[in-house]
Structures are given as structure tokens and as C-alpha cells.
Amino acid sequence: MDFYKQAGVEPIGDRKRTHLSWQITPDIAGQMVTLMGWVHILRDKGRIKFLVLRDEGGTIQVTIPKKKVSEEVFETAGHLKPETVVAVTGEVVEAPQAKAGVEVIPTEIRILNTAEPLPIDVVEGKVSIELDTRLNNRILDLRKPRVNAIFRIQHALVRFSREFLEERGFVEIHTPKIVAEATEGGANLFEIQYFEKKAFLAQSPQFYKQLMLLAGFGRVFEIAPVFRAEKHNTRRHINEYTSFDFEMAWISGVEDVMQMEEEMLCYAFKRTAETAARELELLGVDLQVPKTPFPRIKYVEVIDLLNAEGKEISIHDDLDPESERMLGELFPEKFGTSLVFITHYPLELRPAYTMPSMTDKGMTESFDLTYKGMEITTGGQRIHLHDLLVERFRAKGFNPDHFRFYLDPFRYGAPPHGGLGLGVERLTMQLLGLENIREAALLPRDRDRLTP
Ligand code: AMO
């Protein structure tokens, strides 16, 4: 059975892609090239047809004038539809009127696969559609060059952050996501049935990344999904997100962790600006490399700042979305930058494993990094002293016996350490100025969404 014939298409055969669309430039005029991709835009002017071919690198114009191409090519071109999958072989010809200054005149167009009429447009800017409709059709939505670019930029941010840590001796680890206990408090845990037992989806690699320092790794990092059963749909919460965590031993204090993060982000921003320049331009983002050190401000001072602006909030409260929005305006005025560390959170607002402050009574050696008014990182120095750790678990109302797997190793010599957790989608969202975190998640999971 010839599946290809039955589907009305052709196999790729021995054709090999020679170029990506962005590599078709005037200096290769006269060369024969083979491109593979999708029919992005089609314009039929009768005796001449234009097609814009889209591939991973962007788009390029293919021009099909009846009098310059074979009958077969002209006829095949007549069968093309939006999103038909094609292999086009042809000559690169200078064309000052085309966007790239060149176009391709085909000697062969091979239809590799057909596409049915589309539920949403892949060409942007024709009609604006609701995010929900876009997410329902996410695979097609991701084909849009601007949407695709978001994830290429995210890739660069993660790639260079990882590269930075690797060069500083951090070891990449992979810890279980099926766990026995909450790390961050019980409020937003997903419970699962684990054979005869109750288990949970990990909210964070917190306990295990710390334990790996007790296991002798010195510095570790993990980039992996974590799960939060946030009940409400907000523009900055999803129920599964990618947590970028690192943890380092032998620190003299939380300052070492903050310094590592600011240097990592500067490096990642700089290298992303260099390697994802085309994608950033497509999204109209001028990525400036921030200056180090990022400003540091204590939580108590943040509360004063907000109170002075008329916001009713006390040191015992978490920052609500309005406070964050206000800080998004106040910080650039005060510090001239939108990346600001907030430090010394009160004990009651931080998890049991956070090191209490020796200098600021009732506070902790912890921080959040805020970016354009949104928390993108939480971190801190951890308690490495067994008895203090147990005391803090009790103070938070936990039964230490349930946490023996975590607490016991601290009896046998734990190094001083600290670390952080950075939300990859939040970083991407803030860097690109996206309205909703779902735009920075390939396939977001929220209260109402479990597919695609
Ligand atoms: P925390 O709970 O503050 O800290 O989470 C760390 C970072 O993860 C991101 N984040 C989220 N992103 C999307 N959707 C959510 N529902 C969501 N919840 C959190 C934010 C946040 O700053 N174990 C600690 C980290 C540490 O101290 O190492 C923790 O998980 O960007």
C-alpha cells in the first residue's frame, strides 16, 4: 500500500534541506537551495504566485512566475493551502522588492503533507484572538513566529543560567517529584494515591536539594517541574511550573546566594541578548543587561514605603498583588532599576527551614528577587543546625517525626548552606513584558486546563 499516494503527498526522498530561511541572503544569489517548511502566506495573482515559506528560522519569499518555472511546478503551486508542508528546491535570485532582498524561484515543489482548514490563523495580526482559544489550539498557536520566539528566548535564559552554574562547579541533579511531605507548607499540595499510601506531587525540590549538600555535592542545581494546587486562576500562577533551583554549601551568609543569582542573571541576560537577538527583535524587546549589585531593601522598609504611599499593609502580611504593582513603580523611581532584592522577611512568613536572623530579631536570612514588580525568586540561608531545625519545625506546628528522612541527616554534620528557587515562566514573562504567565508556558496547566 502506498500511504503517500493515498494521502496525496510525496515522500521526502533523498532531498536534503540545505538552508534555513534566514540564511537566504543576497550574497548567495545564483545558488541552488532546498528549503523545507510550511506555507505561511499564499498570494495568487494568476500568472504569478507568491508563497511565503516558514521554517524554524523565520520566513522567506518563494516566487512562482508561470513563464519562468516548469509546468509541473506551477501546477503543484496551485494545490498549496495555508500550512501545507513543502520542500522547495530553487535558485536564489536578487529581488530588491522582497523583505530579505532575495527570493527563491523553484525548480521543484514537493508536497510532503497536507493541512486541513485551520481553526486559528497562524499568520499574526490578522485577527486578535482570546488567549483561551489560542491555548486550546496551542500547537498551531506555537507556530506563530512571535509565539515560538518566546520559547527560544526561554531556552536561551535557561541554557546560559545552567552554563554559568556549571562553570562554577554546580552539579545538575534530578530529585523525585513524588514525595511524602510538603516542603513549603500544606496549603497548595496535590495529593496522589501511591499504591496503599498517600503521597504528594513535589511543590519544590527544597528538601532534596539541601540533602544533596549533606551528601557531599557542594553545589547543586535542578531545573524541573513542580506542582502547586493554587485554587485560583491568576495571571501569575499556574499549577505546574518549571522551578530553577540552586543550592550551595560553605556560604558565609545569604549575601553569597544573592550574589550568585545576580551574576547568573546578568550573564544569562547578556548571552541571551547576543544569541536570541532575532527573537527579541521580533517581540520588540530591548534587553538591557542589568548592573550589579542589584539594590537590596529590607522587608520592613518595603512595608514603610507602601504605608507612606497610603497602602494599608503590615509586616505580618504577605505582599498582595496591589503592593507588588506599587513596588513595580516605586522601585525604578527609588533605585533606577526593576530588579530588586527584598531581604529579612519575618519568621512567620517563611518556611521552617529558613535561617533566623542574628541581626534582625524576628526576621530571617532570606530574600525575594522582584522583577518589574513581581516576585520571580525566593531564596535564603537554610538552618544547618539539627536542634534549631527541629525547634523551627515544631514552632510551625509540624511533627518532626513525619520529617525524619529530612531532619535525621542533619545530625551527622551538615555544612552551612543556602540557595534559591526561580520560576522560569515568571522570569520569561517579566523579561518579555507578557500579560499572562500562561503565554510563557508551552502547555500551561491551570484550574481549568489539563489539555493539550
Ligand atoms: P516559592 O514558593 O516562593 O519558594 O517559589 C519560588 C518561585 O517559584 C515561582 N512560583 C510560581 N510560578 C508559577 N506559578 C506558581 N503557582 C508559582 N509559585 C511559585 C515564583 C517564586 O518566586 N523552596 C523555595 C525556594 C527556595 O527557597 O529555594 C520555594 O519554592 O517565581
Side-chain angles (χ1 to χ4, degrees), residues 176-183 186 188-194 197-203 227:
K177 299 296 163 249
I178 301 178
V179 300
E181 289 294 344
T183 54
N188 54 12
L189 267 184
F190 281 113
E191 192 179 312
I192 57 165
Q193 188 66 34
Y194 190 68
K197 290 199 185 96
K198 191 167 84 175
F200 304 100
L201 295 179
Q203 296 165 301
F227 307 90

Side-chain angles (χ1 to χ4, degrees), residues 206-275:
Q206 185 64 38
F207 290 164
Y208 292 127
K209 63 174 175 166
Q210 285 186 258
L211 289 176
M212 288 310 121
L213 302 185
L214 276 63
F217 284 101
R219 292 175 166 190
V220 297
F221 72 102
E222 178 163 9
I223 308 162
V226 294
F227 307 90
R228 303 276 173 112
E230 320 273 0
K231 290 207 174 54
H232 304 291
N233 271 329
T234 79
R235 69 177 197 95
R236 58 204 188 113
H237 290 95
I238 38 181
N239 296 110
E240 174 175 351
Y241 70 90
T242 307
S243 191
F244 189 116
D245 284 82
F246 73 64
E247 205 67 22
M248 47 199 279
W250 318 116
I251 59 168
S252 35
V254 66
E255 184 57 35
D256 290 354
V257 181
M258 291 192 281
Q259 271 174 32
M260 190 64 77
E261 176 168 37
E262 63 196 3
E263 281 171 29
M264 177 181 89
L265 288 178
C266 285
Y267 179 77
F269 279 31
K270 178 171 167 286
R271 297 287 289 126
T272 298
E274 289 163 5
T275 58

Side-chain angles (χ1 to χ4, degrees), residues 184 204 206 209 228 238 241 353 375-376 378 382 420:
E184 310 301 312
S204 153
Q206 185 64 38
K209 63 174 175 166
R228 303 276 173 112
I238 38 181
Y241 70 90
Y353 54 75
E375 172 204 322
I376 60 163
T378 293
R382 325 299 188 184
L420 58 76

Side-chain angles (χ1 to χ4, degrees), residues 251-255 257-258 298 342-347 350 353-368 379-383 417-419:
I251 59 168
S252 35
V254 66
E255 184 57 35
V257 181
M258 291 192 281
K298 290 184 176 178
I342 304 178
T343 66
H344 296 87
Y345 282 79
L347 275 165
R350 288 282 141 149
Y353 54 75
T354 316
M355 186 62 116
S357 176
M358 299 236 283
T359 52
D360 296 51
K361 199 167 164 357
M363 304 295 152
T364 53
E365 294 300 311
S366 69
F367 67 90
D368 274 7
Q381 185 178 349
R382 325 299 188 184
I383 301 173
H417 65 281

Side-chain angles (χ1 to χ4, degrees), residues 139-431:
I139 305 305
L140 283 178
D141 183 54
L142 285 163
R143 284 189 188 172
K144 295 175 194 159
R146 285 166 56 91
V147 179
N148 209 271
I150 294 171
F151 297 93
R152 292 170 183 276
I153 294 165
Q154 187 172 77
H155 160 70
L157 290 167
V158 171
R159 170 185 168 196
F160 294 115
S161 299
R162 170 190 269 122
E163 186 174 288
F164 177 88
L165 294 180
E166 281 170 347
E167 278 165 17
R168 279 152 193 83
F170 283 79
V171 176
E172 183 161 12
I173 57 169
H174 309 281
T175 64
K177 299 296 163 249
I178 301 178
V179 300
E181 289 294 344
T183 54
E184 310 301 312
N188 54 12
L189 267 184
F190 281 113
E191 192 179 312
I192 57 165
Q193 188 66 34
Y194 190 68
F195 304 110
E196 291 75 36
K197 290 199 185 96
K198 191 167 84 175
F200 304 100
L201 295 179
Q203 296 165 301
S204 153
Q206 185 64 38
F207 290 164
Y208 292 127
K209 63 174 175 166
Q210 285 186 258
L211 289 176
M212 288 310 121
L213 302 185
L214 276 63
F217 284 101
R219 292 175 166 190
V220 297
F221 72 102
E222 178 163 9
I223 308 162
V226 294
F227 307 90
R228 303 276 173 112
E230 320 273 0
K231 290 207 174 54
H232 304 291
N233 271 329
T234 79
R235 69 177 197 95
R236 58 204 188 113
H237 290 95
I238 38 181
N239 296 110
E240 174 175 351
Y241 70 90
T242 307
S243 191
F244 189 116
D245 284 82
F246 73 64
E247 205 67 22
M248 47 199 279
W250 318 116
I251 59 168
S252 35
V254 66
E255 184 57 35
D256 290 354
V257 181
M258 291 192 281
Q259 271 174 32
M260 190 64 77
E261 176 168 37
E262 63 196 3
E263 281 171 29
M264 177 181 89
L265 288 178
C266 285
Y267 179 77
F269 279 31
K270 178 171 167 286
R271 297 287 289 126
T272 298
E274 289 163 5
T275 58
R278 268 183 307 127
E279 286 81 3
L280 288 163
E281 195 191 323
L282 195 59
L283 291 170
V285 174
D286 176 20
L287 180 53
Q288 297 290 335
V289 180
K291 286 195 185 64
T292 56
F294 302 166
R296 279 107 165 112
I297 177 170
K298 290 184 176 178
Y299 195 61
V300 60
E301 293 162 355
V302 167
I303 299 299
D304 288 347
L305 208 62
L306 289 168
N307 290 157
E309 292 291 314
K311 171 80 189 172
E312 278 189 37
I313 184 168
S314 98
I315 182 103
H316 308 294
D317 300 323
D318 272 315
L319 296 179
D320 60 2
E322 192 195 20
S323 303
E324 287 204 335
R325 190 191 50 71
M326 289 170 74
L327 295 177
E329 285 169 20
L330 292 169
F331 281 167
E333 285 168 21
K334 191 172 161 66
F335 298 117
T337 169
S338 58
L339 274 157
V340 177
F341 283 117
I342 304 178
T343 66
H344 296 87
Y345 282 79
L347 275 165
E348 73 236 50
L349 296 185
R350 288 282 141 149
Y353 54 75
T354 316
M355 186 62 116
S357 176
M358 299 236 283
T359 52
D360 296 51
K361 199 167 164 357
M363 304 295 152
T364 53
E365 294 300 311
S366 69
F367 67 90
D368 274 7
L369 178 62
T370 62
Y371 184 19
K372 299 179 187 167
M374 188 182 292
E375 172 204 322
I376 60 163
T377 299
T378 293
Q381 185 178 349
R382 325 299 188 184
I383 301 173
H384 61 289
L385 308 171
H386 174 265
D387 294 355
L388 177 60
L389 192 54
V390 171
E391 183 189 314
R392 290 300 307 153
F393 268 68
R394 285 218 175 87
K396 290 271 177 192
F398 300 121
N399 180 350
D401 288 342
H402 296 167
F403 295 88
R404 280 286 142 225
F405 69 96
Y406 169 64
L407 297 172
D408 277 349
F410 285 83
R411 293 172 189 266
Y412 312 115
H417 65 281
L420 58 76
L422 164 73
V424 170
E425 293 83 358
R426 284 215 188 157
L427 171 67
T428 312
M429 170 188 185
Q430 292 307 86
L431 186 134

